[in-house]
Each structure stands twice: as structure tokens, then as C-alpha cells.
Amino acid sequence: MAKDGGPDWNGLLKWSLAHGDGTNPPRALSEEDRKWFMEAMQANTVDVVKRMKEITQVMRTPEDVLESQGVTPENIEDMLDELQEHVESIDMANDLHSIGGLDPLLGYLKNSHAGIRAKAAEVVSTIVQNNPKSQQLVMESNGLEPLLTNFKSDPSTSARTKALGAISSLIRHNQPGIAAFRLGNGYSGLKDALGSDDARLQRKALNLIQYLLHNNKADRTVATELGFPKLMMHLASSDDSLVREAALSGLLELAQDKTSGNALPDQDKLKDILKSRIEGISTMDADDLHAAREERQLVDSLWNECYNEPSSLREKGLVVLPGEDAPQQPPPDVAGKMFEPPLRAWAAARPAPKDDSDSGNEKKDAPPLLLGPGPSSNSN
């Protein structure tokens, strides 16, 4: 082992090269070599379940007790970062409930510190992504209720955004979750999110709306009655390119509803918005045009859907540029791209913070020791 107590990676590398360079047939290991190798590997092995139980113990500990031992909200956030790494494994995510960790994690959604509420929602999102079993466990533990509360009324925009991300993961391909979202006035929360001035919250709301409208045709009437089309039209001119794409995608979803006529009101205003986008696209340089590929295709598809004719982008050859594949029908699934979960690889190192994270916390090299020994008793 290295002198600083960490794994002796250089020694392990030299050992493996010396014993497996491919030039000689494998030889039997001496007992001394075998013992050294096993000790070196085990020194860097973390008992994940044991560590998750320790984290669960901390989450169960009352806040005032933690404070009395010098544990700060930042320490708790670091601990939740570590827990999120562990539950990226679906097996570990499902085991969190069996070791008693799910309920206290959901309890952190009601914590007095916004950073802890946001981080707890992020962990919940990881647990339920593409995981029907954990989705069911969270629903049975009434986890949707505090997520909806935070999404709709949390004073922290970051906590609202993280809560919406967790809701999106929780109700995706989960019909009971979608029904509960409706009953919990989730659509009114989405309307408020569209009217916010935070691009990340707008993007997440638009992508969830597009998903819900695509998979629940009856919800299109609700969306229209709540004024979503007008809000989407406004956001189709956003300075944020991803907001524009998501807004255009939602408008296209509504425009394709032929059951009760065209669901989009104020066609003249929509035409002016699309003309403005066409003008903006027409003045883009080559790099910006390639970056706006999905927007170009969405503008053309929406124009064609609403006005039964190709847009002027097609005449200018700007829908599909040379070297690009022709757009598929239906147009690009913007929501699907945004909802795509990260690779849930147990052994993979975590990437840099996501672009919608407000946290600038750096990872710790070792798990934080949050609970120290209790006060010693005076014995005579």
C-alpha cells in the first residue's frame, strides 16, 4: 500500500505487467504474491451496503443532534452526493428501501435547507429512472406529495427544478404516477413554471408537457384550457435554444391533434413567430445552422402542419443541409433526448456536475465522517 494510506496503484500496475505481459505462459502465484494482491485490492473495496446503512443512520438522526456534533448542511449534501453514486446501480437503488433508507431520504425533501431539499430530489430522480420497482416504492411511500409541494411552491428555484426533474423520472412510463400528478394539480405547477424566468425550469416543464401530451391525448384539452399554447408561443422566441426547441415541439404536438380541429389558437400570431424564427435561422452562419438542426426541422414541420405548405426554409435548402440525413417522421423527439437518463454504471466515475446544478461542491476523496462518538461519560 502507498504510504499515504491509499491504494498502491503503481505497485499493482507493475505487478500485473510482470505477471501477465503475454510473452510467457501464466505461472502459479506464490502465497506471498497472492496475499499481497488480495490485500491491495481489498483495501480499495467499499462495502456499499454497509456504507448505505451508515448514511441511513445519519438521515434518521434528528437535525439538532447532528448540529450538536458539528454536522453542517454542506456535510449532508456531500453525504447525499455519495448516496447518489451508490444508487446509480439499480440493485442498490432498490435495496435502499429494504435497509430503511428510502423514507428518511424522502423526509429530506421537507428539510429546512434548500440545498438539502434539492439534493434529496436529485437522489430520488436517480433512484427511479427507468426503474419500475423503485417508482412503485416511492409512490407507496407518498414520495410524490413532497415533490409536488417543492415543485409548485419552494422559494428556491433550484429546489423547484430538481423536484420537477424527480417528478419527471417518477411518472415516466408510470400510469398511476401520471394520474396522481394530475390529481395533485401538477398541470397548474407546469403553467407556473412556463411563466418563470429560469430557463432550466422552463425546459424541464416543456419537456414533461410534451411527454404527457404525447402519451395522454385527452390531456391536450386540459393544456389548451390552461393557456399552454400561448405560453409556448412566447417561449418559442426565447433566447435559450433548448427552450425554443422544447416549445416548438410542444406546439407541434398540439397542432397534430386532429380530433377536435386545430388546437392552436391565434394562428396569425403563430405565423409571425415562425416567420421571425425563419428570418433568424436564415441569417445564421454554418456552425449555428448545424447547432440549430432540430429547431430548423421543427419550424418547418410546424409550419407545414398548421398551414398545409412547406416553409420558406425548405425553399432555401435550410431544413436539411448538405451532409445531413433527412429528418425522420415524426420530427425529432426533443423530450426523449432531454429525459434520457445517464448511464447507470455502478463502477463508473461520476461526471462533472450537470448543467442545471446550482451546486459548486467538489467531490471529497473519502466519505465524510458525519457522526462522531457521543460525549464520554464521566466515571469515578
Side-chain angles (χ1 to χ4, degrees):
M1 299 301 293
K3 292 181 180 180
D4 61 359
D8 183 5
W9 294 119
N10 192 41
L12 283 171
L13 175 61
K14 291 180 179 179
W15 187 93
S16 62
L17 290 174
H19 291 80
D21 60 4
T23 59
N24 296 304
R27 64 178 178 83
L29 297 178
S30 68
E31 189 59 30
E32 182 179 359
D33 281 343
R34 187 187 304 275
K35 181 179 179 181
W36 178 88
F37 179 77
M38 294 304 297
E39 288 178 351
M41 295 304 295
Q42 289 174 4
N44 196 47
T45 299
V46 177
D47 187 334
V48 177
V49 174
K50 179 182 178 182
R51 184 58 186 163
M52 286 172 61
K53 288 181 178 179
E54 293 172 349
I55 292 174
T56 296
Q57 179 185 354
V58 175
M59 292 192 296
R60 286 174 172 172
T61 303
E63 188 173 348
D64 58 341
V65 175
L66 293 177
E67 290 178 354
S68 70
Q69 299 189 29
V71 178
T72 67
E74 290 74 22
N75 293 144
I76 299 296
E77 291 180 45
D78 288 341
M79 180 192 72
L80 292 174
D81 274 330
E82 181 193 348
L83 179 60
Q84 186 173 5
E85 292 182 0
H86 296 323
V87 297
E88 283 185 343
S89 161
I90 290 182
D91 288 339
M92 293 298 104
N94 293 336
D95 284 346
L96 184 63
H97 176 72
S98 64
I99 64 175
L102 182 59
D103 287 339
L105 172 64
L106 296 176
Y108 270 164
L109 295 171
K110 302 177 183 179
N111 193 272
S112 60
H113 298 278
I116 294 177
R117 295 195 300 273
K119 181 56 65 176
E122 200 169 1
V123 178
V124 172
S125 181
T126 300
I127 289 172
V128 298
Q129 281 177 342
N130 288 344
N131 190 342
K133 180 177 179 180
S134 281
Q135 285 179 333
Q136 181 180 354
L137 291 172
V138 171
M139 293 296 298
E140 291 174 351
S141 297
N142 296 320
L144 180 59
E145 181 179 351
L147 288 172
L148 278 171
T149 298
N150 291 359
F151 163 48
K152 293 189 291 184
S153 60
D154 200 297
S156 165
T157 301
S158 175
R160 287 184 67 194
T161 305
K162 298 296 186 182
L164 178 54
I167 290 170
S168 300
S169 297
L170 178 59
I171 69 175
R172 188 171 174 82
H173 305 303
N174 176 5
Q175 289 303 316
I178 292 175
F181 177 80
R182 289 197 202 101
L183 292 174
N185 291 323
Y187 272 99
S188 66
L190 290 173
K191 180 179 180 179
D192 290 341
L194 293 185
S196 75
D197 58 1
D198 186 89
R200 289 169 300 172
L201 184 58
Q202 291 171 344
R203 288 198 302 265
K204 286 184 179 292
L206 285 165
N207 289 317
L208 180 54
I209 290 168
Q210 198 273 344
Y211 171 78
L212 292 171
L213 296 182
H214 183 76
N215 289 278
N216 301 276
K217 308 302 182 184
D219 287 1
R220 298 181 180 187
T221 301
V222 176
T224 301
E225 291 175 351
L226 287 173
F228 282 16
K230 290 184 178 180
L231 290 168
M232 290 178 182
M233 287 182 193
H234 174 71
L235 294 176
S237 300
S238 170
D239 292 334
D240 186 290
S241 62
L242 293 179
V243 170
R244 291 199 305 270
E245 289 177 10
L248 290 167
S249 183
L251 288 168
L252 181 60
E253 193 68 49
L254 289 172
Q256 291 172 335
D257 181 11
K258 304 302 182 182
T259 58
S260 58
N262 198 311
L264 293 179
D266 206 343
Q267 293 286 299
D268 291 338
K269 181 178 180 180
L270 176 61
K271 180 174 285 190
D272 289 340
I273 292 171
L274 293 179
K275 284 181 178 179
S276 177
R277 290 310 313 142
I278 290 171
E279 291 176 4
I281 291 170
S282 300
T283 60
M284 289 181 177
D285 60 25
D287 290 340
D288 289 339
L289 280 172
H290 282 288
R293 176 181 179 181
E294 292 182 356
E295 182 180 0
R296 290 184 276 119
Q297 295 174 2
L298 285 165
V299 167
D300 180 70
S301 297
L302 186 55
W303 185 284
N304 186 67
E305 191 69 42
C306 292
Y307 309 112
N308 298 314
E309 63 180 15
S311 73
S312 58
L313 285 177
R314 192 169 294 274
E315 298 174 3
K316 298 175 182 180
L318 295 178
V319 175
V320 180
L321 300 179
E324 292 182 342
D325 296 331
Q328 300 294 319
Q329 295 296 331
D333 181 11
V334 178
K337 176 190 71 174
M338 297 299 295
F339 276 111
E340 188 68 19
L343 179 62
R344 302 186 68 156
W346 153 231
R350 286 190 58 72
K354 300 177 183 177
D355 61 353
D356 64 348
S357 174
D358 292 323
S359 171
N361 295 336
E362 297 180 354
K363 296 290 182 184
K364 301 294 185 289
D365 293 333
L369 180 60
L370 297 182
L371 284 179
S376 60
S377 58
N378 296 328
S379 58
N380 296 325

